[in-house]
């Protein structure tokens, strides 16, 4: 029975969808005729003998023609607006106003004078607007009521968040006849929304009443319909949803939604990225657009996790040219595919080069003349670089120097160096090399005419080689999950968040400083491992292996002698970085023993040593 009703409903809606235009035209024409007749009758106090029915019949075609013409011009009959929406109401009012003007004009100046009284003509316009608006609102109400019945197999869903996200989520559930979710109630912590009804769904309380509301509505799913929800909010709601037996769903972050549209396909399970990341950064889009639009932008390390996301986000701001440089041809292939939907590797935007090659880097800068540079190319695996410190010197230090000197030579306006929290009070080869790169960037600020700065952030979720990806691979292979120490903590952020900070830095950062994002509270790695082990399809052990050489138990975002200041953005700290010049790199000899090379890098990271180099 339910299947037959659903089929009949779809047949009727398909008929309406196909014939809606002609039906609305005919309906509006008839409603104008009714409005003119009623307004004229009211003008004569319902004394029908005083009405000139010939005049009414003569003026009606003028109203019909004017309504149809203005309706098509304003999109009323072109399916441009949702039935009963504010946009449609605005267009309807303008159409009624234009038609009223035509009716008044025709009545005043036609060969048949004063077909209807002036007051009746104006009243007819008001009446026609009310009637046509009521028709559309009634149709929308009818559609919504048809979709309010619980559909077989749909999960009874509570929606947390009675804002715009909640409205769009409920609208998507109502409009999609095959939706796997059906809204049965709203929850919101804002007391001013306590009595709010949204598309027939009522706010039933705040999060503290979650268990009671779930029982009363027989809900089995909870949707957090707040795209800007941070990890703390998601974790807090999750802790309440699990004891209530509710499956928790979320809408993706704002940056992952396409425009302001929400579809039921956007609704997904909560991931570890949601629980560890989602420290939302409010990006100054206008400032970003101003310094990237119509500019030649170069990204080094464009094929990496950060570099590729940088390229995808920069492309949204219409640069004059986006130059994507990497030494990995396969990574460039994947990058072009993700941006252009094709991967023929024939685009001049793709540059295959190694930043270690000084001449190649200079040639790229001189031929392409970039105005904005994002330097994301680096070696990043801590343990491997401890064994091969010379490679860290060649790429992270000398390679960065090559890029910086080429940027100065061609007059780059803005240079943003991508750094890491391991550069704060470094204890590893990776940390030493990235700290030296920060100081070299600050040193170039005095030589170039543009802004030269660094951006520092913690571990990036889902990047290649990240701890989360490692854990997931270990779960797939049956374990065990390896954690260095039970007390190890790390800061986490998602790739889009990290990239937003990098791009934002180019707009608000100043020369010779590093910008550091407030990443919330550090996360205990053992907790992440235990969560993944608990969710694994089969038992997985967690094994502790001991801290690796150069590894910190707890990372810091600011060094002990660094003083941060939040000058522009409430979540971004500005830290002054001492300058270091390429001449100081003479002491780095990759032919020396690894221990000696590491000691030399450590010495370069000593503030007193660097001051001496500056004064020299």
């Amino acid at each position: 029975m339910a299947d037959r009703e659903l089929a009949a409903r779809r047949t009727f809606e398909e008929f309406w969808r196909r014939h809606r235009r002609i039906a609305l035209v005919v309906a509006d024409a008839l409603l104008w005729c009714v409005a003119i007749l009623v307004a004229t009758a009211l003008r004569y106090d319902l004394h029908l003998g005083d009405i000139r029915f010939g005049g009414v019949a003569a003026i009606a075609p003028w109203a019909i023609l004017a309504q149809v013409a203005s309706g098509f011009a304003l999109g009323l009959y072109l399916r441009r607006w949702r039935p009963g929406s504010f946009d449609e109401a605005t267009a309807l009012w303008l159409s009624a106003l234009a038609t009223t003007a035509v009716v008044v004009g025709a009545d005043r100046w036609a060969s048949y004078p004063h077909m209807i009284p002036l007051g009746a003509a104006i009243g007819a316009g008001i009446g026609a607007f009310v009637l046509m608006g009521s028709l559309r609102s009634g149709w929308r109400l009818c559609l919504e009521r048809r979709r309010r019945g619980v559909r077989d197999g749909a999960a009874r869903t509570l929606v947390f968040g009675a804002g715009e996200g909640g409205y769009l989520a409920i609208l998507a559930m109502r409009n999609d006849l095959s939706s796997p979710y059906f809204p049965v109630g709203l929850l919101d912590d804002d007391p001013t929304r306590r009595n709010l009804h949204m598309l027939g769904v009522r706010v039933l309380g705040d999060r503290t009443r979650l268990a009671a509301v779930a029982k009363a509505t027989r809900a089995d799913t909870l949707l957090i319909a707040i795209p800007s929800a941070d990890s703390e909010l998601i974790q807090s709601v999750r802790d309440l949803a699990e004891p209530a037996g509710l499956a928790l769903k979320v809408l993706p972050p704002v940056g992952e939604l396409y425009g302001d549209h929400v579809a039921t396909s956007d609704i997904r399970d909560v991931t570890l990225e949601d629980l560890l990341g989602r420290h939302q950064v409010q990006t100054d889009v206008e400032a970003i657009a101003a310094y990237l639009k119509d500019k030649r932008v170069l990204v080094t390390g464009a094929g990496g996790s950060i570099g590729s996301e940088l390229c995808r986000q920069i492309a949204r701001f219409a640069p004059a040219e986006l130059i994507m440089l990497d030494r990995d041809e396969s990574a460039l292939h994947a990058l072009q595919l993700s941006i252009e939907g094709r991967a023929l590797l024939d685009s001049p935007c793709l540059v295959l080069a190694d930043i270690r090659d000084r001449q190649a880097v200079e040639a790229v800068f001189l031929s392409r003349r970039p105005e904005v540079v994002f330097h994301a190319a680096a070696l990043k695996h801590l343990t491997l670089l401890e064994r091969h410190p010379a490679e860290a010197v060649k790429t992270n230090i000398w390679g960065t120097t090559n890029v910086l000197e080429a940027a100065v030579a061609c007059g780059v306006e803005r240079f943003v160096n991508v750094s890491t929290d391991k550069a704060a009070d470094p204890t590893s080869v990776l940390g030493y090399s990235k700290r030296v790169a920060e100081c070299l960037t600050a040193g170039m600020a005095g030589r170039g005419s543009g802004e030269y700065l660094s951006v520092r952030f913690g571990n990036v979720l889902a990047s290649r080689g990240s701890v989360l990806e490692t854990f997931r691979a270990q779960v797939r292979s049956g374990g065990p999950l390896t954690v260095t120490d039970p007390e190890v903590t790390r800061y986490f952020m998602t790739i889009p968040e990290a990239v937003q900070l990098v791009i934002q830095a180019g707009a608000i950062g100043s020369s010779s400083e590093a910008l550091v994002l407030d990443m919330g509270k550090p996360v205990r790695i053992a907790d992440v491992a235990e969560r993944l082990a608990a969710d694994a399809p089969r038992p997985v052990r967690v094994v502790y292996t001991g801290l690796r050489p150069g590894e910190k138990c707890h990372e810091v975002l600011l060094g002990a002698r660094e003083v941060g200041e939040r000058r522009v953005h409430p979540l971004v700290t500005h830290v002054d970085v001492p300058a270091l010049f390429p001449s100081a790199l003479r002491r780095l000899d990759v032919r020396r023993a690894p221990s000696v090379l590491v000691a030399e890098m450590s010495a370069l990271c000593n503030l007193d040593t660097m001051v001496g180099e500056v004064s020299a």
Side-chain angles (χ1 to χ4, degrees):
M1 184 67 178
D3 291 339
R4 275 186 287 177
E5 289 180 1
L6 183 61
R9 186 186 308 169
R10 285 178 171 169
T11 301
F12 177 75
E13 291 185 0
E14 178 66 18
F15 175 84
W16 169 255
R17 187 179 64 82
R18 289 183 177 181
H19 302 286
R20 174 182 170 186
R21 180 184 302 177
I22 190 169
L24 282 177
V25 169
V26 172
D28 288 347
L30 292 176
L31 291 175
W32 261 103
C33 293
V34 171
I36 293 171
L37 181 60
V38 171
T40 305
L42 291 175
R43 170 65 179 78
Y44 290 111
D45 296 330
L46 300 179
H47 295 156
L48 301 183
D50 296 334
I51 300 175
R52 292 183 176 179
F53 287 100
V56 171
I59 202 67
W62 288 93
I64 293 171
L65 290 174
Q67 175 60 42
V68 172
S70 61
F72 274 105
L74 293 168
L76 285 172
Y77 309 125
L78 301 177
R79 300 180 184 173
R80 188 175 296 172
W81 318 115
R82 289 184 58 82
S85 66
F86 178 78
D87 289 327
E88 187 181 55
T90 302
L92 193 63
W93 169 246
L94 293 174
S95 175
L97 189 63
T99 303
T100 301
V102 170
V103 169
V104 171
D107 184 57
R108 296 300 96 182
W109 294 292
S111 59
Y112 189 86
H114 306 296
M115 293 176 279
I116 59 174
L118 178 61
I122 296 174
I126 297 173
F129 170 71
V130 171
L131 291 172
M132 292 187 295
S134 299
L135 172 68
R136 287 160 171 81
S137 297
W139 171 246
R140 177 168 180 172
L141 184 62
C142 212
L143 281 178
E144 290 178 356
R145 283 184 175 175
R146 286 174 179 271
R147 292 166 177 165
R148 285 181 188 177
V150 179
R151 291 182 283 274
D152 292 340
R156 298 177 66 87
T157 304
L158 289 174
V159 179
F160 181 75
E164 185 68 15
Y167 173 80
L168 293 174
I170 293 174
L171 184 64
M173 295 179 199
R174 295 286 198 207
N175 289 342
D176 184 357
L177 293 178
S178 60
S179 169
Y181 310 100
F182 179 78
V184 295
L186 275 161
L187 296 168
D188 199 285
D189 290 338
D190 186 348
T192 63
R193 294 174 174 172
R194 188 163 299 164
N195 299 314
L196 180 67
H197 285 69
M198 187 179 288
L199 299 176
V201 183
R202 187 164 67 91
V203 174
L204 302 173
D206 58 18
R207 76 176 80 174
T208 62
R209 299 200 64 246
L210 177 58
V213 171
K215 184 177 180 180
T217 58
R218 294 181 289 113
D220 48 33
T221 301
L222 175 66
L223 168 66
I224 300 178
I226 307 174
S228 60
D230 60 21
S231 55
E232 292 184 6
L233 175 60
I234 294 174
Q235 182 64 63
S236 174
V237 175
R238 187 176 192 263
D239 291 342
L240 296 172
E242 284 187 345
L246 296 171
L248 187 62
K249 307 289 182 179
V250 294
L251 289 179
V254 176
E256 297 178 21
L257 288 174
Y258 183 78
D260 60 356
H261 176 70
V262 172
T264 54
S265 58
D266 291 320
I267 299 172
R268 59 169 173 77
D269 293 331
V270 176
T271 65
L272 267 176
E273 286 85 350
D274 294 315
L275 297 173
L276 299 178
R278 293 180 71 132
H279 302 284
Q280 298 298 320
V281 181
Q282 296 301 319
T283 305
D284 187 349
V285 177
E286 291 185 1
I288 289 174
Y291 90 89
L292 291 179
K293 183 176 174 59
D294 298 326
K295 298 288 185 179
R296 295 183 299 277
V297 183
L298 184 145
V299 178
T300 70
S305 303
I306 295 296
S308 59
E309 181 65 18
L310 262 172
C311 292
R312 284 187 286 270
Q313 292 199 24
I314 291 169
R316 295 165 41 204
F317 296 103
E321 184 180 16
L322 177 56
I323 308 159
M324 299 171 283
L325 184 150
D326 203 288
R327 68 176 183 178
D328 186 341
E329 58 181 352
S330 296
L332 289 176
H333 178 276
L335 176 60
Q336 186 184 27
L337 184 63
S338 70
I339 292 179
E340 301 179 9
R342 53 190 288 277
L344 300 179
L345 297 178
D346 56 350
S347 171
C349 295
L350 302 177
V351 177
L352 186 63
D354 192 334
I355 62 170
R356 294 184 179 189
D357 187 337
R358 182 187 185 93
Q359 292 181 340
V361 171
E362 289 177 349
V364 171
F365 274 76
L366 290 175
S367 62
R368 310 300 283 273
R369 311 297 297 186
E371 297 164 280
V372 180
V373 174
F374 293 94
H375 177 47
L379 297 178
K380 65 177 184 178
H381 288 285
L382 184 146
T383 304
L384 203 57
L385 293 183
E386 288 296 316
R387 296 175 54 203
H388 303 282
E391 298 304 309
V393 171
K394 293 175 184 177
T395 296
N396 295 357
I397 296 179
W398 289 348
T400 296
T401 303
N402 292 340
V403 177
L404 282 166
E405 290 184 332
V408 170
C410 78
V412 166
E413 297 175 5
R414 295 174 189 259
F415 186 102
V416 180
N417 169 54
V418 177
S419 189
T420 169
D421 58 356
K422 292 171 178 59
D425 287 343
T427 60
S428 63
V429 170
L430 172 59
Y432 295 143
S433 64
K434 296 299 285 183
R435 177 59 175 173
V436 170
E438 285 185 359
C439 297
L440 287 169
T441 303
M444 286 298 177
R447 295 186 176 184
S449 57
E451 303 283 345
Y452 287 74
L453 58 135
S454 297
V455 182
R456 186 189 299 170
F457 46 80
N459 292 269
V460 179
L461 294 167
S463 63
R464 288 188 296 182
S466 69
V467 64
L468 190 55
E469 292 300 295
T470 300
F471 283 165
R472 283 173 172 160
Q474 290 175 333
V475 167
R476 287 193 295 270
S477 64
L481 300 180
T482 54
V483 181
T484 57
D485 188 277
E487 301 305 318
V488 163
T489 61
R490 293 291 182 265
Y491 292 98
F492 286 101
M493 65 193 311
T494 64
I495 291 176
E497 290 164 358
V499 168
Q500 285 178 32
L501 172 63
V502 173
I503 298 177
Q504 181 83 64
I508 68 174
S510 301
S511 280
S512 302
E513 62 183 22
L515 274 65
V516 186
L517 177 66
D518 180 354
M519 301 181 63
K521 298 177 181 179
V523 177
R524 187 168 168 263
I525 298 298
D527 292 339
V528 177
E530 289 166 4
R531 168 65 65 181
L532 279 171
D535 294 340
R538 56 190 176 188
V540 176
R541 292 184 303 124
V542 178
V543 175
Y544 298 99
T545 60
L547 288 174
R548 298 167 294 181
E551 183 181 16
K552 298 177 184 177
C553 189
H554 306 289
E555 294 287 1
V556 295
L557 296 174
L558 301 180
R561 287 181 281 185
E562 290 182 325
V563 178
E565 182 182 356
R566 299 190 176 183
R567 302 170 187 164
V568 181
H569 197 289
L571 293 179
V572 179
T573 300
H574 298 242
V575 180
D576 291 330
V577 177
L580 182 68
F581 300 117
S583 59
L585 304 181
R586 290 191 301 265
R587 64 178 64 187
L588 296 178
D589 187 346
V590 295
R591 295 170 297 182
R592 294 183 180 181
S595 59
V596 176
L597 187 57
V598 172
E600 294 294 350
M601 279 193 286
S602 177
L604 284 174
C605 293
N606 184 282
L607 295 180
D608 295 332
T609 301
M610 287 190 286
V611 171
E613 295 289 348
V614 172
S615 60

